């Protein structure tokens, strides 16, 4: 019997520890981890740089509140801005919280410039933006819009990769468009490059802010520090979380030139946001993701994608994704049955969207480990193939 609320389908075994791309359960069984805590543990488990950084920080200072200046948050904000085109940063604790803040930021920008009523946020079908009320409303999937009525007003949905549908939603009330450049939970679906280019143009022309949710795609996952770099755009606002803290909870809102001065004293806040411990971990992550590291991610991503394609399984309908954010959609085999069979054989994978198996290994994964993963998937798919 468990005293935890019944929100998750938990495993019958307990994970006790991990090292690099492997985790261990209470019976000593090992699992090759192609989930990385759902794109969180970018540097794998028990990475010495992160462990050392947080151990040293724990002996100095955990928390003093945002009334005081501290070193790590300043340093992390500077590094994030200097490695992107952004002007400044607000730190939160999670993805949903970062998105909530981004929505507030966009609405205030519009209010300051155009007054009341220009507050609508357009998001895309199959998107996922988090579980708090506004982030849940922003999430473009009907299955999430039950029970919790009333939802906040001012959210509209356009069909993913459909410019006409987007244009139909845009009006003089539109304040921002919020997108994932590769939809994660929705099924590992990268947006069309042409679609993004057109959407970007529309945003510029109409002074609609472009919010890119990089909570899953950001921090090296796609082989670039940010996925927007693949699309030749610079969004007005980017949200981060997941991999940023390498396993500690931290979220961030990056603001471009347009809205860098939008939040003023008292407009937004977060007790734990940017605390010294989580930012120490994030600094260790950011310092590790140099050009050479990211080039390896790209190489390993291409290797994994080629290997999935080479499985040549008739039940694989499509292989999708960028860098080490990959998925394959199945037809005739349930993704959940692959999830369960893989776990039995010591491989952790994720599911997503429409019958898709999603692979999000730690970015430090090796080619040997990729081979092992493919071997297990090959066994499973051959056994289940129709
Ligand atoms: C995980 C995720 C979120 C929500 O992050 P939480 O930290 O769980 O609140 C939001 N957007 C995207 C794209 C995500 O993948």
């Amino acid at each position: 019997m468990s005293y935890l609320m019944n929100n998750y389908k938990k495993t019958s075994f307990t994970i006790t520890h991990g090292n690099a791309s492997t985790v261990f359960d209470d019976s000593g069984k090992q699992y090759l981890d192609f989930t990385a805590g759902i794109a969180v543990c970018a540097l794998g488990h028990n990475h010495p740089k992160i462990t050392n950084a947080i151990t040293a920080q724990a002996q100095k200072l955990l928390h003093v509140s945002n009334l005081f200046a501290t070193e790590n948050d300043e340093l992390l904000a500077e590094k994030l801005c200097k490695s992107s085109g952004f002007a400044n940063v607000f730190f939160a604790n999670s993805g949903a919280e970062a998105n909530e803040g981004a929505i507030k930021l966009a609405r205030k920008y519009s209010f300051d410039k155009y007054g009341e009523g220009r507050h609508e946020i357009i998001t895309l079908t199959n998107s996922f933006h988090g579980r708090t009320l506004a982030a849940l409303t922003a999430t473009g999937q009907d299955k999430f819009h039950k029970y919790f009525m009333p939802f906040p007003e001012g959210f509209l949905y356009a069909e993913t990769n459909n410019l006409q549908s987007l244009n139909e939603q845009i009006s003089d009330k539109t304040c921002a468009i919020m997108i994932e450049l590769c939809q994660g939970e929705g099924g590992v679906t990268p947006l069309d490059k042409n679609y993004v280019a057109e959407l970007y143009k529309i945003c510029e022309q109409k002074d609609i802010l472009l919010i890119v949710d990089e909570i899953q795609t950001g921090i090296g996952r796609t082989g670039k520090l940010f996925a927007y770099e693949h699309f030749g755009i610079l969004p007005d606002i980017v949200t981060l979380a997941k991999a940023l803290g390498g396993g500690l909870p931290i979220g961030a809102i990056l603001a471009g030139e347009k809205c860098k001065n939008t939040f003023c004293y008292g407009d937004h806040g977060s007790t734990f946001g940017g605390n010294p411990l989580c930012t120490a971990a994030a600094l260790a992550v950011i310092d590790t993701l140099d050009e050479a590291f990211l080039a390896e991610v790209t190489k390993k991503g291409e290797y994994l994608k080629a290997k999935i394609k080479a499985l040549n399984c008739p039940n694989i309908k499509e292989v999708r994704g960028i860098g080490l954010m990959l998925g394959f959609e199945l037809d005739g085999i349930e993704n959940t049955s692959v999830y369960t069979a893989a776990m039995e054989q010591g491989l952790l994978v994720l599911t997503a969207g429409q019958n898709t198996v999603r692979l999000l290994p730690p970015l430090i994964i090796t080619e040997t480990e990729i081979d092992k993963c493919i071997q297990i998937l090959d066994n499973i798919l051959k056994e289940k193939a129709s």
Side-chain angles (χ1 to χ4, degrees):
M1 125 118 212
S2 169
Y3 287 91
L4 294 171
M5 285 191 194
N6 206 16
N7 305 46
Y8 304 108
K9 228 185 244 166
K10 295 232 181 212
T11 53
S12 55
F13 55 86
T14 302
I15 299 288
T16 54
H17 62 292
N19 198 50
S21 300
T22 305
V23 292
F24 301 83
D25 76 10
D26 49 346
S27 75
K29 181 172 168 181
Q30 343 187 341
Y31 302 83
L32 191 51
D33 182 8
F34 271 61
T35 73
I38 316 190
V40 167
C41 308
L43 304 188
H45 303 277
N46 194 22
H47 193 286
K49 269 199 195 162
I50 296 182
T51 307
N52 292 341
I54 61 184
T55 308
Q57 187 58 47
Q59 290 167 340
K60 288 201 293 190
L61 184 71
L62 287 178
H63 184 81
V64 280
S65 97
N66 280 308
L67 298 175
F68 301 93
T70 49
E71 282 178 343
N72 292 350
D73 56 346
E74 280 290 348
L75 200 53
L76 180 61
E78 182 182 341
K79 289 195 179 196
L80 285 170
C81 289
K82 286 190 170 162
S83 52
S84 65
F86 291 92
N88 55 22
V89 182
F90 176 88
F91 288 116
N93 306 287
S94 69
E97 195 194 337
N99 282 341
E100 294 277 331
I103 291 163
K104 282 177 70 177
L105 183 61
R107 284 190 172 164
K108 174 136 197 278
Y109 171 83
S110 223
F111 183 93
D112 288 347
K113 206 160 163 184
Y114 303 98
E116 224 168 307
R118 191 181 182 273
H119 58 250
E120 288 182 352
I121 316 273
I122 300 172
T123 64
L124 303 183
T125 51
N126 284 322
S127 58
F128 182 83
H129 297 297
R131 300 287 194 153
T132 54
L133 275 169
L136 197 63
T137 310
T139 293
Q141 302 186 54
D142 289 341
K143 67 175 181 190
F144 290 108
H145 299 161
K146 295 188 294 193
Y147 320 126
F148 309 112
M149 294 70 86
F151 290 97
E153 285 174 32
F155 290 87
L156 301 171
Y157 313 97
E159 201 181 304
T160 295
N161 281 331
N162 181 337
L163 215 52
Q164 192 192 332
S165 166
L166 181 71
N167 277 317
E168 282 166 12
Q169 299 303 329
I170 292 173
S171 73
D172 53 10
K173 288 189 187 158
T174 310
C175 145
I177 298 174
M178 178 150 107
I179 58 175
E180 296 161 88
L181 289 165
C182 181
Q183 296 182 332
E185 306 302 314
V188 196
T189 314
L191 297 192
D192 255 36
K193 284 212 164 131
N194 289 335
Y195 171 78
V196 173
E198 287 302 317
L199 180 152
Y200 188 59
K201 248 190 255 163
I202 296 169
C203 285
E204 277 193 318
Q205 281 162 5
K206 300 187 186 262
D207 196 21
I208 294 168
L209 294 189
L210 175 58
I211 306 172
V212 175
D213 177 343
E214 294 245 20
I215 289 161
Q216 193 159 149
T217 55
I219 313 299
R221 176 55 54 188
T222 67
K224 306 253 188 213
L225 196 54
F226 304 100
Y228 70 74
E229 296 171 54
H230 294 283
F231 290 81
I233 61 169
L234 182 62
D236 298 298
I237 301 172
V238 157
T239 52
L240 296 172
K242 292 201 164 99
L244 179 59
L248 287 197
I250 181 169
I253 305 167
L254 314 188
E257 284 303 317
K258 272 192 184 177
C259 50
K260 68 177 181 186
N261 296 319
T262 298
F263 275 161
C264 302
Y265 177 71
D267 284 338
H268 194 55
S270 175
T271 297
F272 290 118
N275 80 78
L277 189 72
C278 296
T279 43
L283 282 167
V285 173
I286 289 292
D287 286 341
T288 308
L289 299 191
D290 57 16
E291 289 289 319
F293 185 98
L294 293 171
E296 278 296 303
V297 172
T298 300
K299 212 174 111 203
K300 290 183 289 191
E302 282 164 4
Y303 183 74
L304 176 56
K305 198 177 202 177
K307 289 267 169 177
I308 300 169
K309 286 185 173 160
L311 283 171
N312 232 340
C313 170
N315 298 87
I316 294 182
K317 220 169 115 184
E318 194 176 26
V319 184
R320 293 187 296 263
I322 319 174
L324 281 171
M325 178 172 183
L326 294 172
F328 55 91
E329 189 174 332
L330 291 167
D331 187 17
I333 300 176
E334 287 294 319
N335 60 352
T336 48
S337 78
V338 174
Y339 171 91
T340 310
M343 198 176 280
E344 276 162 16
Q345 297 188 37
L347 171 69
L348 306 181
V349 300
L350 292 161
T351 59
Q354 284 294 325
N355 209 22
T356 296
V357 174
R358 178 170 44 147
L359 303 176
L360 297 170
L363 306 181
I364 55 151
I365 197 81
T366 64
E367 285 196 358
T368 314
E369 288 165 331
I370 290 175
D371 290 343
K372 202 167 151 195
C373 160
I374 290 293
Q375 180 73 61
I376 295 173
L377 288 175
D378 192 30
N379 292 343
I380 294 168
L381 292 171
K382 279 204 176 112
E383 195 178 299
K384 294 183 187 292
S386 46

